[in-house]
């Protein structure tokens, strides 16, 4: 209950009243014990506010595609201390982690588990405070999704590993877009290569034929014929240069051109 000090300041007080009895069981007095619990009450109120903010933050997180978690890889079985409720989109319940039946690595696609855990160990050995990695997760529906995880490592005052907080974003759509873009670039490069080579082969034969006639190896030609053959020769040379430029651009685009 509230009480008031002599200076008029209000404070919280806890009171306990006990009866004092004589040897015949008759109440002869009362004993009151009072305790100032203002700080305790303030702490409880602060905790309640903090809990409210935490619940609001968790609600906001659950509206996004970001899965938030906290785990302790240094403890036995690497227990998960917290995981946001939106992990249910993968068909996984937070309770699966809290019961100790599931670890963080268990949700990672089997082929990526070893690399993912090695990445964690390597960054811990290097005493890094944060690191990122990508891996696949297979949901209960059988669908494989790509996630990008950003981890933040907390160490104790003696340098020991305390826990890791992580935020994992679903980047499946981005990965699909990247794969399609790479596929389109490869198709373009292959098309340019085929077309350029298909043009260069007959062009070489045409160029050699013009040169033979231009040089008079097949018989004497007059000035007018030589003029037109000269124009054809220059056009063929220019086309050949353009084809070579296209092939060089393709090599430059693929990082294979040597200077």
């Amino acid at each position: 209950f509230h009480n008031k000090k002599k200076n008029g300041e209000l404070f919280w007080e806890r009171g306990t009243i006990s009866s004092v009895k004589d040897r015949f069981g008759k109440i002869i007095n009362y004993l009151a014990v009072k305790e100032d619990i203002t700080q305790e009450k303030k702490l409880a109120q602060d905790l309640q506010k903090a809990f409210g903010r935490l619940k609001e933050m968790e609600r906001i997180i659950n509206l996004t595609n970001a899965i938030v978690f906290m785990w302790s890889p240094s403890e036995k079985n690497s227990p998960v201390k917290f995981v946001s409720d939106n992990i249910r989109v993968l068909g996984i319940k937070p309770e699966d982690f809290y019961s100790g039946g599931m670890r963080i690595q268990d949700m990672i696609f089997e082929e990526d588990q070893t690399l993912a855990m090695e990445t964690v160990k390597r960054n811990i050995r290097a005493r890094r405070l944060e690191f990122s990695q990508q891996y696949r997760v297979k949901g209960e529906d059988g669908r494989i999704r790509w996630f990008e995880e950003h981890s933040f490592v907390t160490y104790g005052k003696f340098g020991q590993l305390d826990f890791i907080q992580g935020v994992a974003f679903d980047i499946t759509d981005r990965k699909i877009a990247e794969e399609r873009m790479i596929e389109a670039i490869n198709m373009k490069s292959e098309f340019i290569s085929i077309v350029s080579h298909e043009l260069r082969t007959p062009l070489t034969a045409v160029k050699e034929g013009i040169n033979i006639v231009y040089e008079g190896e097949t018989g004497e030609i007059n000035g007018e014929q030589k003029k037109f053959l000269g124009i054809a020769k220059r056009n063929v040379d220019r086309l050949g240069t353009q084809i070579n430029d296209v092939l060089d651009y393709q090599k430059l685009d693929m990082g294979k051109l040597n200077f």
Side-chain angles (χ1 to χ4, degrees):
F1 55 88
H2 259 129
N3 206 341
K4 185 183 289 186
K5 295 181 180 180
K6 290 182 179 180
N7 61 4
E9 181 184 348
L10 291 174
F11 68 99
W12 281 97
E13 189 175 59
R14 180 189 291 125
T16 304
I17 301 176
S18 304
S19 60
V20 179
K21 300 178 182 179
D22 62 16
R23 61 193 180 94
F24 300 108
K26 182 180 178 182
I27 297 175
I28 59 175
N29 213 334
Y30 290 94
L31 178 66
V33 178
K34 296 182 179 180
E35 182 184 3
D36 187 338
I37 59 168
T38 304
Q39 290 300 320
E40 183 181 324
K41 198 74 174 177
K42 183 178 184 302
L43 179 60
Q45 290 172 344
D46 290 343
L47 284 173
Q48 189 175 14
K49 290 178 182 177
F51 183 73
R53 289 194 295 267
L54 180 62
K55 294 300 289 183
E56 178 63 16
M57 187 181 300
E58 187 175 348
R59 187 188 70 82
I60 294 171
I61 289 171
N62 289 332
L63 293 175
T64 72
N65 67 343
I67 296 173
V68 178
F69 55 86
M70 183 173 76
W71 63 299
S72 299
S74 59
E75 295 183 36
K76 185 179 178 180
N77 297 325
S78 304
V80 174
K81 307 293 187 179
F82 172 81
V83 63
S84 54
D85 196 63
N86 57 356
I87 199 169
R88 295 180 189 274
V89 300
L90 301 175
I92 302 172
K93 300 186 293 294
E95 295 79 19
D96 296 337
F97 291 101
Y98 300 147
S99 65
M102 192 170 190
R103 302 168 301 170
I104 284 294
Q105 55 264 45
D106 294 332
M107 76 174 189
I108 300 175
F109 188 50
E110 192 174 79
E111 294 177 11
D112 297 346
Q113 283 184 12
T114 301
L115 179 59
M117 290 302 102
E118 281 301 318
T119 299
V120 173
K121 292 176 183 177
R122 186 176 67 254
N123 282 279
I124 290 174
R125 284 195 300 267
R127 312 300 292 172
R128 292 196 174 93
L129 295 175
E130 58 183 86
F131 61 91
S132 300
Q133 62 173 323
Q134 294 180 0
Y135 49 74
R136 291 168 292 176
V137 173
K138 188 174 183 179
E140 286 293 315
D141 57 0
R143 181 187 172 196
I144 295 177
R145 297 172 173 86
W146 273 98
F147 277 83
E148 183 171 82
E149 176 196 319
H150 301 276
S151 293
F152 306 89
V153 189
T154 299
Y155 301 94
K157 62 179 180 178
F158 299 110
Q160 79 279 10
L161 173 65
D162 274 355
F163 54 84
I164 295 177
Q165 294 170 300
V167 184
F169 296 93
D170 188 335
I171 59 167
T172 306
D173 292 341
R174 191 180 86 190
K175 275 289 185 180
I176 292 173
E178 288 175 356
E179 290 172 0
R180 288 177 178 172
M181 182 178 69
I182 292 172
E183 183 181 351
I185 291 173
N186 290 336
M187 288 177 62
K188 181 199 74 172
S189 299
E190 185 179 357
F191 174 76
I192 291 174
S193 179
I194 292 173
V195 171
S196 299
H197 283 95
E198 289 296 322
L199 284 173
R200 189 159 62 172
T201 301
L203 190 64
T204 301
V206 172
K207 180 179 179 180
E208 287 302 314
I210 291 175
N211 283 335
I212 290 172
V213 177
Y214 185 82
E215 296 297 333
E217 295 181 20
T218 58
E220 188 177 349
I221 58 175
N222 58 40
E224 189 71 15
Q225 290 172 328
K226 196 163 188 174
K227 174 184 175 184
F228 283 109
L229 283 171
I231 294 172
K233 184 175 180 298
R234 288 193 298 273
N235 286 334
V236 168
D237 288 341
R238 186 168 65 251
L239 183 56
T241 300
Q242 289 174 345
I243 291 174
N244 287 332
D245 288 344
V246 170
L247 289 174
D248 285 344
Y249 173 77
Q250 179 200 9
K251 290 178 182 177
L252 181 65
D253 195 38
M254 297 176 68
K256 296 181 179 180
L257 184 63
N258 297 318
F259 295 95

